[in-house]
Amino acid sequence: MSGTDDAAEREALLGKLTLREKVRLLTGATTWRTRAEPALGLREMVLSDGPAGVRGQSWDERDPALLLPSASALGALWDEETVERLGGLLAAEARRKGVDVVLAPTLNLHRTPLGGRHFECFSEDPELTGRTGAALVRGIQARGVAATAKHYVANDSETDRLTVDVRVSERVLREVYLAPFEAAVEAGVRVVMAGYNGVDGATMTASPLLDDPLKGEWGFDGVVVSDWGAVRDGEPAARSALDLAMPGPESVWGEALVRAVEEGRVPRAAVDDKVRRLLALAATCGALGEPGVAPEAPSFPGGSPVPPPPLSTADPQPESPRLPSVTASEPRPDSPWVPVPMSASEPRPDPACSPAAGSDPHPQAASPCVPAEPAPSCAPAVPVSVSGPQSEPVCAPSAPEPTPSGIGRDRARALLREAVAASTVLLRNGGVLPLDPARLRTVAVIGAHAVLPRTQGGGSAGVFPERVVTPLDGIRDALGDGVRVLHVPGPSTGAPAPPLTPDLCTDPVTGDPGVRLRVLDATGCELLTGHRLGGRQLEPPLPPGAHTVEIAVVLLPRTSGPWTLGVGGFGRLSITVDQHVVLQGQFDKETDDPAAVHVNPPVHGVPVHLTAGRPARVVARRELAPGTGRATVVTAAPPRPDDGPALAGAVRAARDADAVIVVVGTTEQAESEGCDRTDLGLGGRQDELVQAVTAAAPHTVVVVNSGGPVELPWRARAGAVLLTWFPGQEGGAGLADVLFGRAEPGGRLPTTWPAALADAPVTRTRPENGRLDYTEGLHIGYRAWARHDREPAYWFGHGLGFTTWAYEGLRVPDDIVAGEPFTVRVDVRNTGPRRGREVVQVYLAGPPGPPVRPERWLAGYTSVSAEPGERATVSVRIPPRALRHWAEDAHAWRTRPGPYRVLAGSSAGALPLTATALVRAVG
């Protein structure tokens, strides 16, 4: 019964399991894998973070992934067909990496512009978020990969996210925050993730909201998985509708849950239901085969099966949530760590450092005893040998895998490039765009983000992209050799030093661009060594006995002066430069947030004077300590230029150019998982840069590279303003398509942008006494702006194209019955000079009287394309849910009969057409 999906057969399999075997299946086997049960034909299922890309089971730059535009960019598409295609691309990547479950989409809302994780969420509106999320679910699951709706529910900000208790009314939950999850369930989503937070006093992993409405009223028949490490109280979570506790192998369930069932504190039927759901998910993903013969994992192109996951070894100390998986040091067929033969001239292993005979099942992983650098002291340190033994495993970069058949690499990149242009929002255009390449001789591209753009947000959903097309790259490629493209970085953005990259350093052993990674034991013996590409090593392999992680490089400074070197991690950290200690100390962990522990550990920096052209040997170390993870980051930043001359140089370049493009944006510290924002500023002197350049060249195009709203105090003085979000790996190519008119900027804002933070109606993200009250109720985003009669910089739904539109007519049905859909017809005309696309939006308001409703709310939308002068009639379907409200006294949906205003236009703040529709009760 290979690939069985028969419920009766799965029920028979369930009956073969003992209670202990059932409970064993309810906790992960590792960080990213579920447990297998060969007797049932059940293999492990692999889960991987999303939605920007599919990372797989490890953070490794040698195993890159396609990087999509951020979720906020997907929200800006207002185009379910394109989102569905992007979901298919995620599924193809999942198959390539042997992943069964993608942890996407994120269906939380942009409740306040200060939310630190806006980039990972679609929008501020439940209707737009629900439709976009459902499209992504359909795209992912069409290829046999399971999607995950997360983070259920009201996990809309990052401050104290592990413990915050959100207080929100039943009605607001139903109409606003639960609505996108309901849409995902209707789309057939197979997994729902319960968040870290609590709602109304109950932690989400033990919340009654998992039972009802999720599994009860909505009929969700999939698996509810915890966010990583979110299960804190085992028995309440077991009695609730949570099915799978991640990560593993340790959790609060296990033997404790077995005893609770045996003693009657947890119903046996609850455990059976959880296992039943896991078996159904496995059948859907192709992970359930004949008893005793587990099916093969998904195949790479060409039919070769994905090699089995590496064996797990114990981390030296217990870890906190989202602990990266620990792999044994044995070389595997699929591993880039392979033994390299020693030459006759290389030193041989010291027997004193070799394990006792028979004690190590993998003798190839043993290594010679290479003296470690002594602990930092005031005396010069002994240098690490750069010609030491190489009989240990070393890192050999693996060749990139093609995407699965049906989605070639070129097609995938073309889709990502198309999505960049389609999600780019033209906020303002003073007749500057599109630029005509035939009229250009010199183009000034200004700003640090032009060469170091934000392609993705910070946090656990990040990937190592297979490539990045920067704005400067895209512009140069589009214009070719006939146009001089000059880049001027301008003043500092205020961003911290980035991790080391191969263009700045070499491996001191091989001389290749990149770094040398070593893992040492407590005596300084080398357990593992290998070449890596960069200074951000989030999952260095930890063989048994691992004590210290070391990253060594030969730094190649291009400028003289005070460089800032840094090392990120927790515990005892040190940096030496040319054998001299420049930083040492004990840096204790100050948070348990997994994003900080495992993905973005704090970096501790020190200024060091370096000379241009003179290589410097830099060695950074972190000692492993209990509960602090193993992520190790080494950073380097050149001397900061004097802002005055840098600003003046940007102005000179702008004055002399035929076209000026300034690229500004946020930093990873401003928009990242684990923390909310404190302001909406761009950082550094970027606003001053734009003001100076636009004063010198009013035709300047300003490109904003951010995942969420930022203040744009200079927007009225810019020739044009483009918003590219975090555009993914093809950002520069898609941007160039828009700049030079090869593609129309198709994006519309999925969230309202304030002119200043002080104007925003909802800004609170910090809990008080552990509670965060959603006192604004139904009124978030454009609803709050309308309620308070405030004018933002740009309304929800705003976005210009390269043509203009007139709204000429609105027709509504004469008879609308509560509980039934209806259609609104809108007449529009393309009044501009070229073909274009318009997103026609329909909002509702009323009826008068109780209950209180928003001033207006999005009811439906659709897009239309037309030639210059062409008139088109757009049909917008309005679903029954657009009219209903939740009646708390009856705990049920109700639709109030009466007159409703129907408004149509191009944004929540530009609705020139109005009509009245009369809704009557059923019967």
Side-chain angles (χ1 to χ4, degrees), residues 170-171 174-175 182 217 778 817-820 844 846-847 850-853 857 879-898 900 919-922:
E170 181 182 344
R171 182 186 175 199
R174 287 290 194 142
E175 294 187 27
E182 185 176 9
E217 178 187 330
L778 303 169
V817 180
E820 296 182 4
L844 296 179
V852 174
R853 303 291 292 264
W857 63 93
R881 63 177 176 269
L883 291 170
R884 68 186 186 177
H885 68 273
W886 184 259
E888 292 188 347
D889 54 349
H891 304 291
W893 291 106
R894 296 286 186 265
T895 298
R896 184 179 176 194
Y900 287 75
V919 177
R920 65 177 174 86
V922 178

Side-chain angles (χ1 to χ4, degrees), residues 830-853:
N830 182 346
T831 57
R834 56 184 283 171
R835 177 179 175 83
R837 170 182 177 265
E838 175 73 338
V839 178
V840 177
Q841 304 162 40
V842 174
Y843 296 76
L844 296 179
V852 174
R853 303 291 292 264

Side-chain angles (χ1 to χ4, degrees), residues 49-51 55 70-72 103 105-123 150-151 155-159 161-162 193 195-197 227-228 322 454 457-462 593-595 599 668-677 707-709 726 765:
D49 265 320
R55 186 175 61 248
S70 63
S72 54
L103 302 180
T106 301
L107 298 179
N108 305 114
L109 299 181
H110 297 175
R111 172 179 166 264
T112 160
L114 291 176
R117 212 169 176 178
H118 268 355
F119 58 86
E120 198 177 316
C121 308
F122 295 122
S123 84
K150 65 180 185 182
H151 308 85
N155 189 176
D156 308 297
S157 53
E158 296 296 287
T159 305
R161 65 181 179 139
L162 304 184
M193 180 189 289
Y196 290 117
N197 61 298
D227 205 338
W228 268 228
R322 280 196 189 270
R454 292 289 308 278
S460 61
D593 193 297
V599 182
E668 187 166 344
Q669 284 61 36
E671 293 188 90
S672 180
E673 179 182 355
C675 60
D676 289 312
R677 301 163 71 186
F726 295 153
T765 61

Side-chain angles (χ1 to χ4, degrees), residues 312-329:
S312 292
T313 61
D315 199 326
Q317 301 292 342
E319 293 292 352
S320 52
R322 280 196 189 270
L323 166 67
S325 56
V326 181
T327 58
S329 56

Side-chain angles (χ1 to χ4, degrees), residues 662-856:
V662 179
V663 187
V664 294
T666 58
T667 67
E668 187 166 344
Q669 284 61 36
E671 293 188 90
S672 180
E673 179 182 355
C675 60
D676 289 312
R677 301 163 71 186
T678 57
D679 61 58
L680 299 182
L682 283 171
R685 300 181 67 179
Q686 294 185 87
D687 285 332
E688 188 176 347
L689 170 66
V690 176
Q691 289 165 346
V693 170
T694 54
H699 59 285
T700 296
V701 178
V702 183
V703 178
V704 181
N705 177 199
S706 71
V710 292
E711 294 174 350
L712 309 174
W714 33 260
R715 64 189 184 281
R717 294 190 292 274
V721 182
L722 281 170
L723 170 60
T724 62
W725 310 101
F726 295 153
Q729 68 177 57
E730 303 298 318
L735 171 63
D737 289 342
V738 170
L739 288 171
F740 303 114
R742 296 174 181 172
E744 185 180 38
R748 302 297 185 267
L749 286 179
T751 195
T752 304
W753 277 43
L757 177 60
D759 300 336
V762 182
T763 58
R764 185 162 168 257
T765 61
R766 183 167 296 281
E768 293 181 4
N769 300 317
R771 287 178 44 163
L772 181 60
D773 292 289
Y774 284 17
T775 54
E776 67 280 354
L778 303 169
H779 311 288
I780 65 170
Y782 67 90
R783 301 176 176 193
W785 286 89
R787 179 179 176 81
H788 293 280
D789 197 24
R790 297 181 185 177
E791 188 72 20
Y794 300 108
W795 283 96
F796 171 83
H798 172 74
L800 307 173
F802 288 152
T803 190
T804 55
W805 296 87
Y807 281 73
E808 298 182 340
L810 171 64
R811 298 184 298 283
V812 300
D814 295 329
D815 185 49
I816 298 174
V817 180
E820 296 182 4
F822 63 96
T823 299
V824 172
R825 289 177 172 81
V826 184
D827 299 323
V828 296
R829 186 185 300 276
N830 182 346
T831 57
R834 56 184 283 171
R835 177 179 175 83
R837 170 182 177 265
E838 175 73 338
V839 178
V840 177
Q841 304 162 40
V842 174
Y843 296 76
L844 296 179
V852 174
R853 303 291 292 264
E855 293 295 312
R856 52 186 175 270

Side-chain angles (χ1 to χ4, degrees), residues 66-386:
L66 292 173
L67 177 58
L68 279 65
S70 63
S72 54
L74 269 57
L77 289 169
W78 295 63
D79 180 354
E80 288 147 78
E81 181 181 349
T82 300
V83 173
E84 200 163 329
R85 291 164 62 205
L86 291 168
L89 186 56
L90 284 174
E93 280 285 273
R95 284 302 186 193
R96 180 175 71 87
K97 288 173 173 276
V99 169
D100 301 288
V101 180
V102 175
L103 302 180
T106 301
L107 298 179
N108 305 114
L109 299 181
H110 297 175
R111 172 179 166 264
T112 160
L114 291 176
R117 212 169 176 178
H118 268 355
F119 58 86
E120 198 177 316
C121 308
F122 295 122
S123 84
E124 69 187 16
D125 181 78
E127 177 72 11
L128 179 59
T129 294
R131 287 178 57 170
T132 305
L136 196 69
V137 167
R138 291 192 299 269
I140 292 171
Q141 296 191 165
R143 290 176 170 265
V145 176
T148 305
K150 65 180 185 182
H151 308 85
Y152 189 87
V153 60
N155 189 176
D156 308 297
S157 53
E158 296 296 287
T159 305
D160 296 342
R161 65 181 179 139
L162 304 184
T163 57
V164 63
D165 180 20
V166 173
R167 297 303 175 105
V168 55
S169 75
E170 181 182 344
R171 182 186 175 199
V172 172
L173 264 178
R174 287 290 194 142
E175 294 187 27
V176 180
Y177 298 101
L178 284 170
F181 290 93
E182 185 176 9
V185 172
E186 290 175 353
V189 73
R190 294 175 186 141
V191 181
V192 170
M193 180 189 289
Y196 290 117
N197 61 298
V199 171
D200 294 329
T203 301
M204 280 313 305
T205 52
S207 171
L209 294 170
L210 299 178
D211 287 295
D212 200 50
L214 180 59
K215 290 185 175 179
E217 178 187 330
W218 299 348
F220 173 64
D221 60 1
V223 169
V224 176
V225 63
S226 72
D227 205 338
W228 268 228
V231 182
R232 295 184 281 274
D233 196 345
E235 289 188 21
R239 286 192 293 269
S240 80
L242 184 77
D243 301 311
L244 177 62
M246 291 295 286
E250 302 298 327
S251 82
V252 295
W253 284 352
E255 284 300 316
L257 179 52
V258 172
R259 290 192 300 271
V261 173
E262 291 174 339
E263 296 169 8
R265 297 191 304 278
V266 173
R268 191 176 296 263
V271 172
D272 285 349
D273 183 67
K274 300 175 196 303
V275 176
R276 191 176 290 118
R277 290 168 179 272
L278 283 167
L279 293 177
L281 175 64
T284 302
C285 294
L288 186 62
E290 294 287 346
V293 184
E296 289 185 344
S299 295
F300 284 124
S304 59
V306 176
L311 298 173
S312 292
T313 61
D315 199 326
Q317 301 292 342
E319 293 292 352
S320 52
R322 280 196 189 270
L323 166 67
S325 56
V326 181
T327 58
S329 56
E330 178 185 13
R332 309 186 314 277
D334 64 319
S335 174
W337 292 87
V338 294
V340 175
M342 285 193 298
S343 67
S345 62
E346 291 169 341
R348 315 309 283 181
D350 183 341
C353 274
S354 299
S359 65
D360 189 344
H362 313 303
Q364 284 185 315
S367 64
C369 184
V370 178
E373 286 195 13
S377 65
C378 294
V382 177
V384 175
S385 169
V386 298

